[in-house]
Amino acid sequence: MIVEVRTYKIQSGRRDEFIKFFETRAVPALRSHGMEILGPLLDLENPDTFVWLRSFPSLNERDRMKDGFYEGEEWKNELEAIAMPMLESYAVVLCETSTGYVFDGPRKES
């Protein structure tokens, strides 16, 4: 599996606004192209930063899914114009899972 670890630095004071956009608009759009999403993960030490992960079955599928999303009408005509003005910067670390990769998922309440 291919995983992107994405760190977003949001314009000062706009993280809550961006998180709402991310959760309600971006995540459903990304998932509609087959991407698995984990996040947002809120940075406890920096109120203008959050991290999220998205995964793909392979590098080829990553290219296909990203092209479908970023070349699509929803990103070009709506989401990009909303998201990009709120971002100060972002960084991406591209990873591949090892053979021993484990994801336990959310813990059940006891």
Side-chain angles (χ1 to χ4, degrees), residues 52-97:
W52 63 287
L53 290 78
R54 65 180 175 185
S55 68
F56 311 87
S58 67
L59 284 173
N60 287 339
E61 284 296 294
R62 175 181 178 256
D63 291 342
R64 183 188 65 75
M65 290 175 185
K66 284 180 61 180
D67 288 348
F69 177 74
Y70 290 112
E71 296 301 320
E73 296 300 314
E74 188 172 18
W75 174 253
K76 285 181 168 182
N77 295 332
E78 292 179 54
L79 303 180
E80 183 178 27
I82 298 168
M84 297 313 286
M86 287 190 274
L87 290 180
E88 188 172 300
S89 65
Y90 65 92
V92 179
V93 178
L94 184 61
C95 306
E96 182 175 34
T97 57

Side-chain angles (χ1 to χ4, degrees), residues 11-81:
Q11 294 289 334
S12 183
R14 298 187 77 184
R15 185 170 78 172
D16 288 344
E17 178 185 2
F18 192 90
I19 295 293
K20 182 177 180 182
F21 159 78
F22 181 80
E23 293 175 342
T24 62
R25 300 290 309 278
V27 169
L30 292 161
R31 286 185 173 151
S32 76
H33 288 275
M35 298 175 212
E36 297 289 333
I37 307 298
L38 176 64
L41 308 169
L42 306 181
D43 186 325
L44 295 175
E45 296 176 334
N46 186 335
D48 296 322
T49 300
F50 81 93
V51 176
W52 63 287
L53 290 78
R54 65 180 175 185
S55 68
F56 311 87
S58 67
L59 284 173
N60 287 339
E61 284 296 294
R62 175 181 178 256
D63 291 342
R64 183 188 65 75
M65 290 175 185
K66 284 180 61 180
D67 288 348
F69 177 74
Y70 290 112
E71 296 301 320
E73 296 300 314
E74 188 172 18
W75 174 253
K76 285 181 168 182
N77 295 332
E78 292 179 54
L79 303 180
E80 183 178 27

